[in-house]
């Protein structure tokens, strides 16, 4: 009788894991949709920024939407680890006098890419999470 109880408990725990994994993927999908929508203000600002003053403010909308997409998808830690890898790459590839500027430049490049192209990084985090399940 206890084996059947253990089997039932194991099945219930497995079902709980499946539900938790599905909830995590749904959360990341919502972040992916927000990050896809965050590209629109960037395109508006890039195309209309010289003609209209209000178009320059669309960059702020892009930055806020990118941050929201990272928070909703739960990938801020993963995104920061990618930025750290980029900076370390710039730090170790070049010899001493150049490594300081290159490391700082790679970190700045990573931050700029994270702000303007959040879809790529949220998609990377989604695929990485899906593969790990």
């Amino acid at each position: 009788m206890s084996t059947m109880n253990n089997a039932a408990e194991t099945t219930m725990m497995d079902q709980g894991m499946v539900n938790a994994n599905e909830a995590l993927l749904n959360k990341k999908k919502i972040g992916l949709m927000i990050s896809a929508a965050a590209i629109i203000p960037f395109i508006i600002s890039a195309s209309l920024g010289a003609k209209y003053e209000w178009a320059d403010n669309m960059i702020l909308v892009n930055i806020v939407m990118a941050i929201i997409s990272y928070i909703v998808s739960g990938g801020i830690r993963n995104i920061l680890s990618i930025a750290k890898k980029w900076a370390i790459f710039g730090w170790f590839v070049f010899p001493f006098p150049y490594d300081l500027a290159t490391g700082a430049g790679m970190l700045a490049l990573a931050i700029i890419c994270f702000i303007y192209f959040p879809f790529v990084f949220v998609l990377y985090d989604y695929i990485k999470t899906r593969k790990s399940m």
Side-chain angles (χ1 to χ4, degrees), residues 20-109:
N21 291 341
E22 287 177 7
L24 180 64
L25 283 178
N26 286 336
K27 187 175 155 185
K28 293 202 181 280
K29 283 181 188 176
I30 292 170
L32 199 58
M33 288 184 241
I34 294 171
S35 67
I39 295 171
I40 296 169
F42 173 68
I43 293 171
I44 291 172
S45 175
S47 62
L48 300 177
K51 294 180 183 177
Y52 304 105
E53 291 181 18
W54 59 266
D56 292 334
N57 295 332
M58 295 302 283
I59 288 293
L60 296 175
V61 175
N62 179 295
I63 292 170
V64 169
M65 288 179 75
I67 292 170
I68 289 172
S69 70
Y70 292 136
I71 290 172
V72 168
S73 69
I76 290 181
R77 183 172 290 148
N78 293 332
I79 299 306
L80 291 177
S81 72
I82 293 171
K84 181 181 171 185
K85 288 176 188 175
W86 286 16
I88 289 174
F89 171 77
W91 185 271
F92 285 117
V93 168
F94 293 97
F96 172 65
Y98 305 111
D99 68 344
L100 300 173
T102 307
M106 291 297 281
L107 185 62
L109 177 68

